[in-house]
Amino acid sequence: MIPWIELDRTAIPGDGGELRLKQRGQEFSIMLGANELMNSRLSGSEEALATLAVERIAGIRQPRLLIGGLGMGFTLRAALAVLGPDAEVTVAELVPAVIAWARGPMAGIYKGSLDDRRVTVHEGDVGAVIGGSIARFDAILLDVDNGPDGLTRTENDGLYSLSGLAASRAALRPGGVLAVWSSAPDDAFTRRLKQAGFDAEARTVRAHKRSGARHTIWLATRKGA
């Protein structure tokens, strides 16, 4: 068995603890304490976050997407694969080291996606991007925690509150989609999305294509003008 090697560690801004990047052969893992946040072998649900959201906005000319959380780039790559050449994708990543890892030891996983002319990388809080935007995006994709609570940093709780969801709704164009990744279902969050003015449904997807753990993706379409 090839042992894990720790390549780097970095603090999450705020009181979010510490991320560790580990490698074993060609496999990478990003850990928060004892929790594995992501693994390079498991990309199915992160890819589904993109493909399911983009399906909802098919036919829109020059679509604008905001992805919250760079992770290992699986959501970004999947989005680019199904979007046309006129799309604009902003990726907001709070932790500078994650961007450095993407351009450094994990560059092979990203396959040049960060250099795609459709992509802009914003180093900062996705909540701030959302809060500073009015009718700017056709889709907002959030994968910044293990679900609708602030696992990585308590400040992220605001993204999933009624006020945070109202900000996401305001940042979307009419008919726009908010997609949220979670490691587990949460009926209360589905109800909260509906309270905030979305038509919402929770979809179950697999961590690794058609196998592996079951994850949840909320697809919430903005109602009204």
Side-chain angles (χ1 to χ4, degrees), residues 55-77:
E55 283 177 5
R56 294 293 185 95
I57 59 170
I60 292 178
R61 295 182 58 190
Q62 297 180 321
R64 292 182 177 179
L65 277 73
L66 171 63
I67 298 176
L70 178 57
M72 290 187 173
F74 296 124
T75 299
L76 172 61
R77 282 177 51 196

Side-chain angles (χ1 to χ4, degrees), residues 111-176:
K111 298 183 177 180
S113 57
L114 293 181
D115 298 318
D116 190 296
R117 64 178 182 81
R118 296 171 289 177
V119 175
T120 300
V121 178
H122 171 82
E123 184 181 306
D125 185 2
V126 67
V129 178
I130 292 171
S133 303
I134 299 295
R136 177 180 174 187
F137 300 107
D138 297 293
I140 297 173
L141 286 57
L142 296 180
D143 184 8
V144 295
D145 281 295
N146 266 16
D149 54 54
L151 173 67
T152 57
R153 58 197 296 262
T154 55
E155 292 92 334
N156 285 347
D157 284 338
L159 290 171
Y160 314 109
S161 66
L162 275 175
S163 60
L165 294 175
S168 288
R169 185 183 181 280
L172 289 166
R173 294 170 174 172

Side-chain angles (χ1 to χ4, degrees), residues 29-69:
S29 174
I30 295 179
M31 305 285 296
L32 173 64
N35 294 314
E36 183 176 64
L37 297 182
M38 57 203 80
N39 185 290
S40 60
R41 294 186 299 104
L42 305 173
S43 61
S45 59
E46 287 85 356
E47 292 167 354
L49 179 67
T51 56
L52 291 173
V54 173
E55 283 177 5
R56 294 293 185 95
I57 59 170
I60 292 178
R61 295 182 58 190
Q62 297 180 321
R64 292 182 177 179
L65 277 73
L66 171 63
I67 298 176

